[in-house]
Structures are given as C-alpha cells and as structure tokens.
Amino acid sequence: MPMRPADLELVNAKLPLAEDGRLHTLKIGDGRWLSVEPQEGPADVGRHAPIAQLGLEALGEARSVDLQGRVLLPGFVDLHMHLDKAYSIGRVRNVSGTLLEAIDNYRAAAPEFSKETIRERIVRGAREASSYGSLTLRSHLDMPLQHGRDVAMRTVEAALEAREAVKDLIDIQYFPMFFYDPALDRELTEFAEEALRMGIDGVGGAPHLAPDPGAGIRWAIGLAAKHGKPIDLHCDETDDPSMKTIGLYCDEVIRYGYAGLATAGHLCSLSAMPQDEADRLIAKMAEAGVGAVTLPAVNLYLQGRGDRGNVRRGVTRVRELLGAGIPVAAASDNIQDPFHPFGRGDLLQIGLVTAYAAHMAREEDIVSLLRMMTEYPAALAGKTDYGVAPGRPASFAVLDAGSGEALFQELPASRWAYNKSSWIGASVQRRQVAEPRRFASENAPA
Ligand SMILES: [Zn+2]
C-alpha cells in the first residue's frame, strides 16, 4: 500500500528515549506519525526550513523543518497539578511554609474566588505548561464543600469551561479532591456523582488528612469503581513515619482489581520511615499495581518545617520505587500558590529538581528522568497510544539541546510544541554575551 503523503517532515531530530544517539527523520500525516527513521548522517540542510528561524506562523506553513540536531520528545505529561489554585500567591500567603497553613489559608479564601478567576488560572496554567512542552495535564481540584455546594460546583464548572477553551492545544484530566466525612456521606456522594456525570475524569482525595483515612479510601475507590473511573489519591504527605495510608490503599486496590487504574501522589512519610517498613510498602505497591507520583519541588518546600539540624526534605523514595518496577511520574503539583511559591508549569525544571532530590545523574538515570516526564505518567494517565512511533498521535516537544543530558544541563528556554495537527508553541530565546578581552599571548606583535 503506498504511504500517504506527509503533511510535515522533520529532519535532524535527536530522540533521547530511543537511546541510539542518531539523527532521525520523522513524517506526520493527519496528526499522526507516519514514519520515524534513523538517518545515516545529517540531512541536507538546504531543503528544509531551520526551526530556530521560524515563528509560529511560518512554522505552520513549512512542509519540511530542520530541527538542527535538537531533542524531540513526546509531549510531557504533567500528572499532578493544581491549576485551579495556580498564581494565587498574591492573594493567599503561607508564612510558616507548612502544608497545614497552606490548606487553612486557602480554604478561608476559597469563597472569594469567582468562577472566572478559577477558569483564568487554569487556562493560563495550561497555556504556560504547553509552551514548555507539557501537552497532557492532570489537575486535582479543590472541593471546598464546607463552604457549600455552590462554591465547590463553581470550581467544577470553571474547570470544564477552561478545558473546552484549550482543547485544541492541550488535554486536561480532572480529579476533584473529596474530603470524606461519614456524617455527610450522602451529600458528598451525590455531589461527586454529579461532577463525574458532567465530565470529571476520576476520583481524588487526601485521606491521610481525614480522621478516618480507611473510610475515605474505601469511599473513594468504591465511587471510582462504581463509575469505572481511575483514582488518584494524595498519600501520606507528612514527615510522620507512622502515617501509612498507602498500605490501606493498596489493600483496596487489590480487592477491587484496580491495578493500573490507581495512582498515589507524594508518599513523603515513606522517606521518613525505617528501611524495612518502606521496603514492605514498596513491595505492596508493586503487587497492587499502584503508580507513584513524586512532587519534589513542593515537598522540598513544605516538608521538614518542624525539624532542626537534620531536616527531612519529604521527597519520596524515587529510586527504590523505580527499582521495584513501579511507574513513577515526576510532576509539578502547585504553581505560585500558598503550597508552593515558585514553579511555572515547566516539567523539565521539575525533572532537574527530581535529579537533585533523588540523586539521579548517571546516563541511565537521565533516561529514567525523561521517562518520569513522558512514558510513565502517560501510562498512568491511561494514554494507550502515546509515544513517537508510526500510527500514534504526533504530539511532541522540541527542545533546544542536543541530548537528554544537555536538557538538564541547560534547561533550554527555546522550545517548540506540536499537538493536534498544529504547531502550538514556538519560544526562541536570544542570548547575547559581550566578547572577552583577548589573551596576552594573542596580543603579542607579529
Ligand atoms: Zn497535590
């Protein structure tokens, strides 16, 4: 069968996940990869438009683009964000830097935030993230039901409207964080089921913060299973080594046969507990098929606030989880809000923080880090046709670096993103540096 003509050809691309160091030519037709072929050497540069010289509009018209040896990766998947809270740091502060103050202050301010405000935060966060190369996002959503159903529903509506506004650019999944209180079981269940009917993707929560975490976990997975939805819980985001809700979660995941549909974020206490106990829980996660998400920037900021001297930093046991065969995603968590004053939705920045926090820098670690930003979160997000391979959606980022390692060395500002049959981002940084004086030896008279 003759291959259909390509809508777009890319040459001289480096594919660090292919681990072969070669340049590649890739062809795209109808929004999907038609072919991905290694080159014998650099492609003839004259025939192809150099990417760095094209703006978004010119890129849209180019049929053949020269990546000039730059890295191409499938679009990053930022699996754990809080886009509804993003950029609220100007309105809600956190003086102690603790998780509990962030929760209290945000909760107190929540009724003030209009649907428009929340919608704009999500749209802004999604656009920023896409400009850095993240093309699939999962956002947890604050559900302040203690302020009444209308305040919580405002967030659900804002989230769905924001998703509609950016759907030609980027995919977003939503996981509302339900706080389970047995006394309010019926109201909460009704609300959650309505949100799921409206288009919410899965069930979230933070059961370690509830008085009865076991009841919260059973309620959440029961609801998810009833509606055939995935579940993604904040787990054990505390320095307290006795907090082990992950064990209860794994029991329920096994009971419901929810392997591959269940994700656990944070797992901070895992890093604070004795080795044998952590080993036991990690083995249980592997057995249950629960995926993990590390949120290193936020946990380095929030955890260990009560410690003096040897300060716990709260980042979970990334290498040990990976070593047990558990897919581990690295994700942004909060952006410029009381839970985390920094961050910008740039998953490469989070990858670098992960590299420091988890002591990952060997050649094979670089590939693991890239997988934690791409393939692992894609699998946890249920994306079955993800990656740079013929037949799959051509959804990718190009970054201004020549290798996986160089990505982390340079955190390149120049990046391009392509999704849903169009270039959606082209950011080119121009750095100018003055010339140094000549060395004395070079100044010697001839
Ligand atoms: Zn979170």
Side-chain angles (χ1 to χ4, degrees), residues 80 82 140 234 266 333-334:
H80 184 132
H82 291 268
H140 296 263
H234 287 60
H266 293 291
D333 213 1
N334 299 71

Side-chain angles (χ1 to χ4, degrees), residues 178 187-197 200 219 223:
F178 297 115
E187 290 92 323
L188 180 64
T189 304
E190 275 174 18
F191 181 89
E193 295 194 318
E194 170 150 23
L196 290 169
R197 272 195 300 275
I200 289 299
W219 175 84
L223 180 75

Side-chain angles (χ1 to χ4, degrees), residues 368-416:
S368 290
L369 287 164
L370 294 176
R371 296 216 156 99
M372 292 172 72
M373 299 151 61
T374 56
E375 293 168 1
Y376 297 150
L380 294 171
K383 292 175 81 80
T384 49
D385 57 355
Y386 178 86
V388 180
R392 301 197 182 159
S395 170
F396 63 89
V398 175
L399 299 99
D400 190 17
S403 69
E405 190 172 43
L407 284 177
F408 296 97
Q409 291 161 337
E410 295 166 19
L411 287 190
S414 296
R415 302 186 199 184
W416 298 264

Side-chain angles (χ1 to χ4, degrees), residues 80 97 237 266 268 293-303 305 313-316 318 330-336 339-347 349-358:
H80 184 132
E237 188 178 6
H266 293 291
C268 305
V293 191
T294 184
L295 296 311
V298 168
N299 288 134
L300 286 167
Y301 172 72
L302 290 175
Q303 303 302 313
R305 289 284 180 164
R313 304 311 311 275
V315 179
T316 194
V318 172
S332 287
D333 213 1
N334 299 71
I335 299 170
Q336 300 172 34
F339 297 79
H340 182 222
F342 312 131
R344 56 184 191 185
D346 178 358
L347 204 54
Q349 186 186 58
I350 297 298
L352 181 62
V353 175
T354 306
Y356 279 107

